């Protein structure tokens, strides 16, 4: 330390001749940093209205408000709500930005707001696209006018960055059997989450409940997922059973509309809601002990259910809990309906179906299997004996393409049914599957397995031909991907023209024509072709999987009284009742989704409807 | 002579912060001093029990306005210890650099308060300006000038922007090149020496007994620094010295502060040099809505610019802290030591002593 002195401070005199460091505000402005945490900006087109920003906000400065000009799209996971900021409470921490799943919310470098009206501090942020008035270019901008309604364009500050997001964008990988191994047998492809994996995956859920709006049956998804994350599968199962009595089935083959709405899917992977449901259903061995559900007080009324598919099973469950005597008729030897015959064993083993069916049985629902209504018992008799009849018969008859020699092909539903619950079919070495939907994928993937089993170590080929091009394929992406992994060849945008036979009448292949368009301008199915552009696809067996329809012949003459919608679905009222009194319907014959969870939703409506109808 | 009771603060020109001291004086000699905290009590510790683990980190910084960074750090360290989270190495280095920048900024602010209070306005204005340069760095790194909300459980919120290390070095060189001027106008100024030497004197035993930490105890010759005793972040990765003085008076404390600033600047250069160029800066923490931390309690401590800062954190296994308690250096400095150090001094030296102890009122009240 130097000696102190009275004179040393005078060395500072030199600063008298230097320029001042202070800025002459407002003529000299200091540009805020690129990461500055100022006022919010929200891209309304990207925002889903999930409300995670409002949930994380430590100061409760964010509120979700309904916006009249926006339309909610629950199937896509979009709400008509957008965040509203209260700048009297906001602390500009930016947690809302880091939790925002779509990354629509950012902070800008604006930080001035001067106004006589304090209400203006409550503010719904938009971005330049939506609010062209408030956002002005740098030239037009004046700091003297700066406020929430006079802001600079393209002036983003603290912005979302997926790397530093507060949520986990990546899904916990589901253990699966590898494609080369799984295509050799019918072993179930998906192994299922372990306890730890399920807890981790469930822990990703942000509980924004977009999924619940998207689910046709409105399952309390966030609640049962929460229970899994807390390691309480029992509680989770109880929550599931409030709306869905077939979790073991749905946990495997649900079309998972919920996952299409999950807010995490936008910048990451959707939460594996379906696999988590499966985890719960598989973890709990005896539903009965956990659920302790009892049938309601007997109403003395009897309900007949035709078809033990998802809608029939669910309806039986819901009405049994309300105290009705329910009898379920099905021609198959067990429950599940189309699910028993359709989805191949590698996706839905029979044991999983029986687990759910057997539980519903223990509640006192009577099942009459191997009993075909119209053959073993008359439909009219059911109408007479029961207080109400529910039809959940599903689509059981495959369409044929109707091209030349189409009668030599086999139909997908029968093919799948025989392989699953009957005698395994003999397949060719080079098989063509016509169709691009999920049934076609099932048929193709089942075929390749049978080929490997029937011709071990031989070269086998399975190919699909579909009218739809890659981007239009009606099958789920997952199915298409997995089929590709199993070396199934695709011929999209080709339509069948003729099945080609040799002189002995054996199939040698399929003559195809190029598709011009599949849908007309109104989006209806109306394929057009380039007739001259043809292709020959070699094959010794053809499976047609181009669609299914229901069979109402069991109703006899009464079938004529059934009314249908424009889309050829059975017309039902808000109670689920058809045009025939006492007859209710649900499932694939009613809805256009053609899946299990929508069938459950139909059953819920019909159960309420029947209850109302019979308690009059 | 008649004994008078004098209310010093909270509204008083010599008082920095919302804090008051009731003085018993004889003439202008202080006979007894009673510190009255509580003017700034906002109930942070209680409030934290109502907020989730993640929601708390933007809150804690508000406990100390002057230097929010170490409070953020200590909270994150506590949560990490309870939840067994490891911070990536680059994150640790960034934390250390960030905290040392905070120390420089905070000391400059303290220097402003002190010099301003004694009437050395030139040095005070310089200190304020240089602190602003540090705040510019913070703004660029974190998006905020005062409340940075940067250190979060698991690491830090964002990586350095491109070329940020160069700008740190540039800014620190700018500030460092003014050290001779600071010395000339302030530290080597005879008036400062006259005002500070021998005032508010503490010996090492007294300091230890009354819980002095940080520069207050280092000014009595004790090398007590948590960064050395219990290295956290990246402090064990580089060589550095703990500056000390022997006298234990205001003068020694201020010189310790100056030496510490210089040491911090050197340390930042070394840290930047040794820092891994790439890598994660933050460990992914669980979903903030479902983050339950296993039941348990922990005590963590770090060396803030005012001295040892501790946090006692209890979790009952839930998504919110069960109990949070901060052990802040201003508590012992402002309540125990100040009361003792003021006895026998003149009224004119109240601010002198108080600011040299670096008492930040919000930290006492929490």
């Amino acid at each position: 330390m130097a000696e102190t002195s009275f004179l040393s401070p005078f060395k500072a005199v030199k600063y008298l001749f230097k320029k001042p460091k202070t800025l002459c505000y407002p003529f000299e402005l200091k540009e805020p940093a690129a990461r500055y945490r100022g006022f919010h900006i929200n891209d309304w087109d990207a925002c889903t209205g999930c409300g995670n920003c409002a949930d994380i906000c430590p100061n409760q400065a964010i509120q979700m408000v309904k916006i009249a000009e926006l339309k909610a799209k629950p199937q896509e996971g979009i709400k008509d709500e957008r965040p509203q900021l209260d700048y009297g409470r906001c602390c500009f921490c930016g947690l809302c930005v880091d939790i925002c799943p779509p990354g629509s919310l950012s902070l800008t470098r604006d930080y001035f707001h001067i106004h006589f009206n304090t209400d203006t501090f409550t503010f719904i942020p938009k971005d330049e696209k939506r609010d062209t008035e408030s956002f002005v270019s740098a030239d037009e901008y004046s700091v003297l006018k700066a406020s929430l309604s006079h802001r600079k364009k393209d002036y983003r500050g603290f912005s979302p960055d997926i790397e530093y997001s507060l949520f986990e964008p990546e899904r916990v990988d589901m253990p699966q059997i590898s494609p080369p191994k799984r295509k050799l047998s019918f072993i179930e492809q998906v192994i299922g989450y372990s306890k730890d994996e399920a807890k981790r995956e469930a822990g990703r859920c942000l509980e924004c409940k977009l999924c619940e709006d998207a689910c046709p049956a409105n399952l309390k998804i966030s609640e049962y997922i929460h229970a899994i994350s807390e390691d309480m599968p029992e509680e989770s199962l109880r929550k599931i059973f409030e709306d869905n009595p077939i979790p073991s089935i749905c946990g495997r083959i649900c079309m998972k509309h919920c996952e299409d709405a999950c807010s995490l899917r936008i910048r990451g992977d959707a939460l594996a809601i379906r696999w988590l449901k499966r985890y719960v259903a598989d973890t709990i061995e005896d539903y009965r002990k956990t659920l302790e559900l009892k049938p309601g007080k007997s109403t003395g009324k009897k309900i007949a259910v035709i078809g033990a598919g998802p809608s029939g099973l669910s309806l039986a469950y819901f009405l049994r809990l309300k105290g009705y005597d329910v009898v379920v008729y099905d021609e198959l030897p067990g429950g599940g309906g189309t699910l028993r015959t359709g989805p191949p064993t590698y996706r839905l083993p029979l044991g999983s179906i029986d687990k759910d069916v057997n539980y519903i049985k223990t509640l006192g629902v009577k099942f009459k299997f191997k009993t075909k209504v119209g053959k073993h018992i008359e439909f009219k008799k059911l109408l007479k004996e029961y207080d109400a009849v529910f039809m959940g018969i599903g689509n059981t008859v495959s369409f044929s393409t109707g091209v030349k020699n189409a009668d030599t092909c086999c139909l997908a539903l029968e093919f799948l049914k025989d392989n699953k619950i009957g005698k395994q079919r003999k397949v060719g070495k080079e098989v063509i599957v016509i169709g691009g939907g999920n049934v076609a994928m099932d048929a193709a993937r089942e075929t390749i397995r049978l080929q490997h089993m029937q011709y071990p170590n031989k070269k086998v080929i399975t190919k699909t031909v579909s009218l739809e091009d890659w981007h239009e394929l009606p099958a789920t992406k997952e199915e298409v991907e997995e089929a590709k992994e199993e070396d199934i060849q695709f011929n999209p945008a080709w339509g069948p023209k003729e099945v080609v036979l040799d002189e002995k009448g054996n199939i040698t292949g399929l003559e195809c024509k190029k598709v011009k368009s599949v849908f007309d301008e109104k989006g209806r199915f109306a394929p057009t072709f380039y007739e001259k552009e043809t292709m020959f696809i070699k094959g010794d067996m053809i499976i047609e999987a181009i669609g299914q329809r229901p069979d109402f012949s069991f109703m006899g003459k009464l079938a004529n009284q059934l009314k249908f919608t424009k889309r050829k679905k059975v017309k039902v009222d808000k109670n689920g009742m058809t045009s025939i009194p006492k007859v209710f319907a649900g499932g694939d014959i009613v809805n256009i989704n053609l899946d299990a969870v929508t069938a459950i939703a139909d059953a819920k409506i019909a159960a309420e409807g029947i209850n109302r109808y019979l308690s009059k | 002579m008649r004994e008078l009771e004098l209310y010093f603060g909270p509204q008083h020109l010599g008082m920095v912060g919302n804090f008051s001291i009731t003085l018993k004086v004889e003439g202008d000699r202080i006979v007894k001093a009673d510190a009255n905290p509580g003017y700034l009590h906002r109930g942070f510790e209680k409030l934290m029990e109502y907020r989730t683990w993640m929601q708390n980190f933007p809150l804690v910084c508000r406990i100390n306005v002057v230097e929010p960074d170490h409070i953020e750090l200590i909270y994150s360290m506590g949560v990490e210890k309870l939840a067994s989270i490891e911070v990536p190495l680059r994150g640790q280095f960034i934390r250390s650099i960030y905290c040392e920048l905070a120390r420089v900024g905070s000391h400059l602010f303290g220097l402003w308060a002190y010099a301003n209070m004694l009437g050395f306005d030139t040095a005070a204005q310089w200190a304020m300006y240089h602190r602003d340069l540090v705040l510019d760095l913070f703004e660029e790194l974190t998006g905020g000038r005062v409340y940075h909300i940067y250190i979060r459980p698991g690491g830090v919120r964002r990586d350095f922007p491109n070329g940020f290390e160069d700008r740190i070095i540039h800014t620190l060189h700018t500030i460092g090149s003014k050290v001779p001027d600071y010395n000339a106008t302030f530290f080597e100024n005879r008036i400062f020496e006259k005002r500070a030497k021998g005032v508010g004197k503490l010996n090492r035993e007294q300091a230890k007994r009354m819980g002095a930490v940080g520069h207050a105890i280092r000014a009595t010759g004790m090398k007590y620094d948590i960064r050395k005793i219990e290295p956290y972040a990246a402090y064990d990765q580089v060589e550095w010295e703990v500056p000390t003085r022997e006298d234990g008076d205001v003068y020694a404390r201020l010189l310790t502060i100056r030496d510490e600033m210089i040491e911090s600047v050197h340390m930042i250069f070394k840290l930047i040099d040794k820092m891994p160029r790439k890598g994660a800066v933050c460990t992914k923490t669980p979903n903030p809505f479902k983050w339950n931390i296993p039941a348990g309690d922990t005590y963590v401590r770090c060396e803030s610019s005012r001295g040892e800062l501790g946090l006692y954190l209890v979790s009952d296994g839930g998504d919110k802290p069960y109990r949070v308690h901060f052990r802040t250096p201003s508590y012992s400095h402002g309540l125990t030591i100040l009361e003792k150090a003021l006895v026998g001094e003149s009224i004119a030296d109240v601010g002198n002593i108080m600011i040299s102890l670096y008492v930040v009122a919000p930290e006492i009240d929490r």
Side-chain angles (χ1 to χ4, degrees):
Chain A
M1 184 81 214
E3 273 295 296
T4 58
S5 132
F6 287 111
L7 296 175
S8 74
F10 289 99
K11 285 179 190 162
V13 168
K14 64 184 180 198
Y15 282 93
L16 278 177
F17 308 101
K18 293 202 174 169
K19 251 185 88 183
K21 296 284 188 190
T22 40
L23 294 176
C24 190
Y25 182 84
F27 307 107
E28 272 179 283
L29 295 174
K30 190 172 171 294
E31 188 67 9
R35 269 183 200 168
Y36 193 79
R37 297 196 309 264
F39 293 137
H40 293 74
I41 191 169
N42 188 17
D43 179 356
W44 273 19
D45 299 328
C47 178
T48 57
C50 64
N52 283 310
C53 46
D55 291 342
I56 193 95
C57 182
N59 296 347
Q60 290 157 23
I62 304 182
Q63 226 185 347
M64 299 305 289
V65 290
K66 265 210 168 20
I67 309 284
E69 62 181 280
L70 293 179
K71 213 169 160 260
K73 294 179 202 153
Q75 299 302 322
E76 295 167 36
I78 297 174
K79 275 190 181 175
D80 54 354
E81 294 177 352
R82 293 295 179 264
Q84 171 186 279
L85 266 293
D86 179 351
Y87 283 124
R89 308 186 73 122
C90 178
C91 70
F92 300 93
C93 61
L95 280 186
C96 47
V97 173
D98 282 349
I99 194 75
C100 181
S104 67
L105 198 65
S106 320
L107 301 178
T108 61
R109 286 177 260 167
D110 297 306
Y111 54 91
F112 285 110
H113 180 64
I114 304 149
H115 210 286
F116 293 110
N117 184 359
T118 48
D119 291 343
T120 60
F121 285 79
T122 309
F123 171 75
I124 302 176
K126 298 179 193 173
D127 68 351
E128 296 92 340
K129 278 182 283 172
R130 285 271 173 179
D131 185 359
T132 44
E133 275 177 30
S134 300
F135 291 92
V136 297
S137 63
D139 304 334
E140 298 166 74
Y141 181 82
S142 157
V143 73
L144 299 174
K145 285 193 256 173
S147 78
L148 282 169
S149 50
H150 185 83
R151 305 166 70 176
K152 262 193 213 170
K153 242 184 211 171
D154 302 322
Y155 209 43
R156 272 176 180 68
F158 192 77
S159 299
D161 188 334
I162 191 78
E163 210 182 309
Y164 305 107
S165 64
L166 291 176
F167 55 86
E168 172 58 62
E170 276 170 41
R171 179 183 280 200
V172 176
D173 279 338
M174 170 54 90
Q176 302 203 8
I177 312 266
S178 69
K181 200 173 162 194
R182 72 184 184 229
K183 71 180 181 187
L184 302 180
S185 74
F186 279 89
I187 184 167
E188 195 174 5
Q189 178 186 334
V190 173
I191 294 165
Y193 280 139
S194 67
K195 180 173 150 182
D196 182 54
E197 286 165 332
K199 262 177 79 176
R200 257 195 302 144
E201 179 61 18
R204 290 173 63 218
C205 176
L206 299 172
E207 299 184 11
C208 54
K209 302 187 181 179
L210 292 180
C211 47
E212 297 184 10
D213 295 340
C215 176
N218 299 113
L219 261 76
K220 297 175 188 68
I221 296 169
S222 65
E223 289 178 36
Y224 76 70
I225 298 287
H226 185 86
I228 300 172
S229 71
E230 303 262 286
D231 198 15
M232 297 192 294
E234 291 84 8
E235 178 57 26
S236 183
L237 191 77
R238 280 191 278 271
K239 282 282 164 220
I240 293 171
F241 260 87
E242 286 178 20
D243 304 281
N244 179 346
I246 50 171
S248 180
I249 294 173
C250 278
R252 285 176 167 78
I253 52 83
C254 183
M255 295 299 282
K256 51 189 173 60
H257 304 279
C258 47
E259 293 182 25
D260 296 338
C262 180
S263 61
L264 289 173
R265 86 195 183 285
I266 303 167
R267 289 197 296 158
D269 308 324
L271 188 75
I273 300 174
R274 177 176 63 179
W275 298 144
L276 288 171
K277 179 158 18 6
R278 172 188 156 140
Y279 161 77
V280 172
D282 287 2
T283 307
I284 292 165
E285 274 175 23
D286 189 356
Y287 293 162
R288 236 171 71 176
K289 268 192 212 151
T290 305
L291 295 170
E292 295 176 329
L293 287 174
K294 295 217 167 61
K297 201 173 152 241
S298 176
T299 56
K301 302 247 163 83
K302 284 161 71 190
I303 315 291
V305 175
I306 308 172
S311 65
L313 289 172
S314 310
L315 183 102
Y317 165 81
F318 290 127
L319 285 183
R320 185 68 197 138
L321 290 187
K322 288 185 195 300
Y324 290 89
D325 286 328
V326 187
V327 184
V328 182
Y329 293 90
D330 200 294
E331 60 176 311
L332 297 172
T338 318
L339 298 178
R340 194 169 194 86
T341 60
T345 314
Y346 61 84
R347 282 215 295 146
L348 180 62
L350 289 180
S352 307
I353 301 173
D354 290 337
K355 187 173 183 185
D356 291 344
V357 176
N358 288 341
Y359 172 68
I360 295 171
K361 214 184 262 177
T362 61
L363 288 173
V365 173
K366 289 185 197 79
F367 284 93
K368 299 215 164 169
F369 292 126
K370 295 185 186 169
T371 313
K372 189 171 163 62
V373 178
K375 188 176 166 193
H376 301 108
I377 184 164
E378 283 304 310
F379 183 65
K380 271 188 191 160
K381 201 179 163 201
L382 290 184
L383 268 185
K384 206 184 279 170
E385 284 180 9
Y386 291 90
D387 295 292
V389 177
F390 177 83
M391 302 194 300
I393 56 171
N395 291 333
T396 47
V397 186
S398 279
F399 284 120
S400 168
T401 52
V403 295
K404 196 177 162 192
N405 300 326
D407 52 331
T408 55
C409 306
C410 69
L411 295 168
L413 286 187
E414 287 160 24
F415 176 76
L416 292 172
K417 181 179 173 183
D418 284 353
N419 290 332
K420 197 161 181 194
I421 59 170
K423 196 168 167 260
Q424 230 173 48
R425 290 274 187 109
K426 182 102 180 111
V427 291
K429 276 187 190 166
E430 198 164 352
V431 179
I432 304 167
V433 177
I434 304 175
N438 286 326
V439 175
M441 294 304 124
D442 284 346
R445 296 177 64 188
E446 205 161 271
T447 304
I448 206 148
R449 284 167 171 75
L450 290 171
Q451 285 176 327
H452 282 291
M453 288 156 74
Q454 291 171 10
Y455 309 101
N457 304 322
K458 296 248 171 63
K459 195 178 180 230
V460 288
I461 303 171
T462 299
K463 37 200 161 189
T464 71
V465 179
S466 64
L467 298 177
E468 297 90 352
D469 211 340
W470 282 115
H471 64 280
E472 300 163 318
L473 281 179
T476 58
K477 259 197 197 132
E478 195 182 11
E479 280 284 323
V480 175
E481 282 310 311
E482 288 173 4
K484 276 193 210 161
E485 286 170 7
E486 290 167 10
D487 298 327
I488 285 163
Q489 299 168 7
F490 284 78
N491 296 289
W494 287 96
K497 193 174 179 194
E498 184 191 338
V499 176
V500 184
L501 308 177
D502 63 6
E503 54 281 7
K504 286 182 199 155
N506 296 326
I507 296 172
T508 58
L510 183 71
E511 186 76 12
C512 297
K513 50 192 173 181
K514 185 82 188 152
V515 172
K516 202 191 240 171
S517 68
V518 185
F519 303 100
D520 64 9
E521 64 276 7
K522 281 183 184 161
R524 285 175 303 204
F525 183 74
T528 54
F529 302 92
Y530 299 103
E531 294 291 339
K532 280 180 191 156
E533 212 176 311
T534 60
M535 174 173 76
F536 177 72
I537 300 174
K538 213 176 133 218
D540 52 7
M541 178 183 181
I542 298 176
I543 301 168
E544 291 177 296
I546 59 160
Q548 309 82 33
R549 64 176 175 81
D551 176 12
F552 293 106
S553 60
F554 70 93
M555 293 172 79
K557 277 181 195 161
L558 266 174
N560 299 333
Q561 289 181 30
L562 266 187
K563 281 193 183 146
F564 291 88
T565 64
K566 272 185 195 160
R567 300 190 70 166
K568 294 179 184 161
K569 293 287 166 185
V570 173
K571 199 172 187 176
V572 292
D573 64 9
K574 63 178 196 310
N575 288 331
M577 188 154 77
T578 63
S579 45
I580 307 169
K582 268 174 78 173
V583 180
F584 295 73
D588 287 0
I589 59 168
V590 169
N591 67 60
I592 54 166
N593 280 0
L594 307 180
D595 64 354
V597 70
T598 317
I600 297 171
D602 289 344
K604 263 169 110 176
I605 295 168
E608 288 300 321
I610 291 172
N611 189 35
R612 261 197 302 272
Y613 177 73
L614 295 181
S615 2
K616 264 184 203 164
Chain B
M1 204 181 283
R2 197 154 71 101
E3 213 172 76
L4 284 176
E5 200 171 60
L6 178 68
Y7 291 93
F8 195 88
Q11 276 99 25
H12 188 276
L13 288 177
M15 177 57 66
V16 180
N18 297 2
F19 184 67
S20 96
I21 312 165
T22 312
L23 302 171
K24 281 218 174 75
V25 289
E26 262 181 15
D28 78 341
R29 285 289 132 193
I30 296 162
V31 180
K32 191 172 185 284
D34 281 309
N36 304 323
Y39 293 98
L40 216 54
H41 184 71
R42 292 146 295 170
F44 282 125
E45 288 174 359
K46 194 72 194 163
L47 187 55
M48 286 174 77
E49 293 167 15
Y50 293 88
R51 295 189 175 195
T52 60
W53 298 104
M54 194 49 85
Q55 283 178 332
N56 269 326
F57 98 89
L59 178 71
V60 289
C61 53
R62 285 162 171 80
I63 291 172
N64 186 340
V65 196
V66 181
E67 191 208 20
D69 317 272
H70 279 99
I71 309 248
E72 285 175 18
L73 175 76
I74 198 80
Y75 174 70
S76 296
M77 279 166 62
V79 172
E80 282 151 14
K81 202 166 161 195
L82 275 181
S84 313
I85 296 172
E86 288 271 334
V87 179
L89 190 61
R90 188 173 160 83
Q92 300 279 25
F93 270 88
I94 291 182
R95 278 184 173 188
S96 273
I97 295 170
Y98 169 81
C99 285
E100 287 318 297
L101 275 176
R103 194 181 314 277
V104 173
S106 169
H107 279 338
L108 285 169
F109 193 70
L111 191 57
W112 163 80
Y114 183 82
N116 196 44
M117 195 271 315
L118 279 196
F120 295 101
D121 283 8
T122 308
Q125 292 307 320
W126 289 350
M128 207 50 166
Y129 170 67
H130 287 142
R131 173 178 180 259
D132 239 47
L133 296 183
V134 178
L135 295 194
D136 284 348
L137 289 177
F138 280 134
E139 184 186 332
E140 186 183 350
L141 178 62
T142 70
R145 292 182 73 80
V146 176
Y147 292 129
H148 311 132
I149 316 183
Y150 182 65
I151 295 184
R152 54 165 276 195
V156 294
R157 270 180 108 181
R158 295 286 192 272
D159 203 343
F160 278 173
N162 269 341
F164 187 63
E165 292 92 333
D166 299 337
R167 288 190 286 284
I168 296 179
I169 292 168
H170 176 79
T171 300
L172 294 181
H173 274 306
T174 310
I175 299 172
S177 67
K178 292 290 182 291
V179 171
D181 288 338
Y182 276 112
N183 284 341
T185 50
F186 185 68
F187 293 109
E188 288 166 15
N189 191 333
R190 181 65 64 82
I191 301 170
F192 163 59
E193 193 191 352
K194 290 267 176 208
R195 281 296 306 268
K197 211 153 201 174
V199 176
K201 207 170 158 97
L202 284 176
N203 64 35
R204 198 185 300 180
E205 278 318 302
Q206 282 172 325
K208 270 159 89 174
R209 189 160 39 80
M210 292 189 285
V213 285
H215 68 288
I217 196 148
R218 287 196 287 272
T220 65
M222 189 172 167
K223 280 202 179 193
Y224 184 78
D225 192 314
I226 306 299
R227 290 172 293 176
K228 275 277 188 235
I229 300 165
E230 242 177 56
Y232 52 92
Y235 288 113
D236 51 354
Q237 306 275 342
V238 289
E239 293 291 317
W240 59 281
E241 279 302 310
V242 181
T244 54
R245 296 267 154 184
E246 293 299 326
D247 301 341
D249 54 4
V250 172
Y251 190 65
R253 288 200 277 273
L254 260 290
L255 291 180
T256 313
I257 285 177
R258 183 196 63 174
D259 296 348
E260 253 181 63
M261 258 193 279
I262 294 168
E263 191 58 43
S264 287
V265 170
H266 289 191
M267 201 198 305
I268 293 171
F269 292 156
K270 288 177 199 162
L271 285 165
I272 288 177
D273 207 39
K274 213 179 168 193
M275 177 163 127
R277 293 285 155 249
K278 278 196 189 105
V281 298
C282 191
T283 306
K284 199 94 197 167
T285 49
N287 179 348
F289 299 124
K290 289 196 163 104
W291 192 3
N292 293 335
I293 288 185
D297 61 340
T298 184
Y299 184 78
V300 281
R301 53 187 185 160
C302 72
E303 184 73 23
S304 79
S305 63
R306 285 141 287 116
E308 178 182 340
L309 175 67
L311 166 71
Y312 181 59
L313 191 60
V314 186
S315 168
D316 61 353
D319 60 348
K320 299 176 180 94
Y322 176 77
R323 175 78 171 96
V324 187
H325 180 77
F326 286 97
R327 187 264 179 234
T328 51
S330 296
Y331 194 85
S332 53
H333 286 185
L335 301 185
T336 327
I337 298 172
L338 186 64
E339 285 183 358
K340 288 279 181 301
L342 285 179
V343 175
E345 304 290 350
S346 77
I347 296 172
D349 281 333
V350 174
N352 190 355
I353 294 166
M354 183 176 151
I355 299 174
S356 80
L357 284 168
Y358 228 155
V359 178
V360 177
E363 227 184 38
I364 304 175
D365 294 340
R366 300 191 293 281

